[in-house]
Structure formats: C-alpha cells, structure tokens
Amino acid sequence: DEAELQVLLSGGTSGGPPDLQKFPKDLLNTKQLSRVAQLAALPNFQSLAEHMSSASAAWKSFLEHPLAECCIPNPWKDNGHEVSDEVLCWRSLLIVNASRPDRLLAASRTFIAKVLGEEALHLPDPDLATIVDSSPAWRYTFLLASGAGFDTSGRVDALAAARGAKYTALAMGSPEGY
C-alpha cells in the first residue's frame, strides 16, 4: 500500500492532524503517540487504538522489551481476515517504526528475511577485481556511488596498485573534489 510506504518513509500520513484521544496516554510518549496515531489513520491500522487499550499489557511489554521486534502485539489476529506472514511482517515493521524506531533496523532485517529469504541478508561484498575482470577488455569505465562516510576510492586505489594499472578518478559532489 502506497500510503503505508509513505508513513514508513516520512513518519506520517498526508492527512490532517492525528486523533490522539483514542490512545492510552500511559503507554506512549508524545512522539510515539503522534506517530502511532498517524499510522492508525490508515485503513489497515484502524483497530490499533482499540487493540492498544484492550491488550495494554502486551503493548507495554513490547514498548519496554529490549528486542521489541520479537514481541510485537498483533492487532490483526481476530478481524476475520487471513493475513499472510509477509503482510503481517510488513505491518509489524510499520508498528516498530512508529513506536520503537530504535529497533527499526532489526525489524527491517526480519522483514527482508521473510520476504526475500534469509540468504538475502548474507550477500557477500562485491569483489571489485571480479567485476573488472568480467568487463570488456577494451574499456573500463566504472561509476561507483557511495553515501557520506563510505568512500570506496581506497578499494579502487588498492586494485589499481595491485595490478600496476593507471586510472583517472573523478569525484562529483565530493567536498574533496579530487
């Protein structure tokens, strides 16, 4: 659901201000309350406030648990609709994002393993030498993109030095500008 993805990526819905009155005040801090209320504005999460009130002990345990992604209460159990494990895992990811963002990375790993398989979490680092060797011999042009703090130029320098190869590096958007 695109609206659910938007909530995950931005932390809120595009609708008006959330209705905070439905939620138990003793469970959530102000930021959690706002984010969970935004989530509850989505069709698949409309029973969230009611479930948090009726199963407050389970929610309290989840909110305080050091591995919260392992004990997410399931507000979809008794709604009469079958929900696949993948959908349940996606919805759980959204709940973690809204209420326990400190555990989002761990919940994301669980989601990836459920949808793509455990092996997707254990992909080897790309081997630059293998990539170069499998490219056409007449031309080597590579574009390496990395996020701030993850400069890959050292790997290129090391490969070029090991092979005695000359190359020209061009940095775009780099503060170093080399």
Side-chain angles (χ1 to χ4, degrees):
D1 182 291
E2 194 168 325
E4 291 176 357
L5 180 60
Q6 183 63 30
V7 167
L8 179 67
L9 297 176
S10 69
T13 63
S14 58
D19 182 4
L20 306 178
Q21 301 305 315
K22 300 181 199 174
F23 292 90
K25 309 290 183 280
D26 57 331
L27 282 178
L28 305 165
N29 65 35
T30 305
K31 188 171 185 174
Q32 288 172 316
L33 182 60
S34 176
R35 291 175 60 104
V36 168
Q38 289 281 349
L39 188 59
L42 299 173
N44 290 320
F45 293 87
Q46 289 180 348
S47 64
L48 191 56
E50 181 182 326
H51 192 268
M52 289 182 97
S53 294
S54 66
S56 62
W59 283 97
K60 183 173 175 49
S61 176
F62 159 70
L63 292 166
E64 294 175 353
H65 200 283
L67 301 175
E69 69 282 358
C70 298
C71 61
I72 303 166
N74 182 351
W76 305 281
K77 269 193 241 183
D78 303 318
N79 68 0
H81 296 89
E82 282 293 317
V83 178
S84 72
D85 288 344
E86 293 81 7
V87 170
L88 182 60
C89 199
W90 167 253
R91 292 177 183 171
S92 295
L93 180 66
L94 292 171
I95 287 175
V96 169
N97 183 52
S99 58
R100 285 293 306 271
D102 61 308
R103 300 303 303 164
L104 183 60
L105 184 59
S108 297
R109 290 180 59 84
T110 301
F111 176 72
I112 291 167
K114 176 62 73 180
V115 174
L116 300 177
E118 189 69 33
E119 62 278 358
L121 296 171
H122 305 290
L123 296 175
D125 285 340
D127 179 15
L128 189 57
T130 301
I131 294 169
V132 168
D133 291 342
S134 66
S135 298
W138 55 272
R139 184 175 192 139
Y140 295 111
T141 300
F142 294 96
L143 173 65
L144 303 176
S146 57
F150 297 98
D151 184 9
T152 58
S153 62
R155 293 173 69 184
V156 175
D157 292 339
L159 179 62
R163 294 187 174 197
K166 293 181 183 179
Y167 76 101
T168 303
L170 173 66
M172 298 169 50
S174 170
E176 294 84 15
Y178 68 90

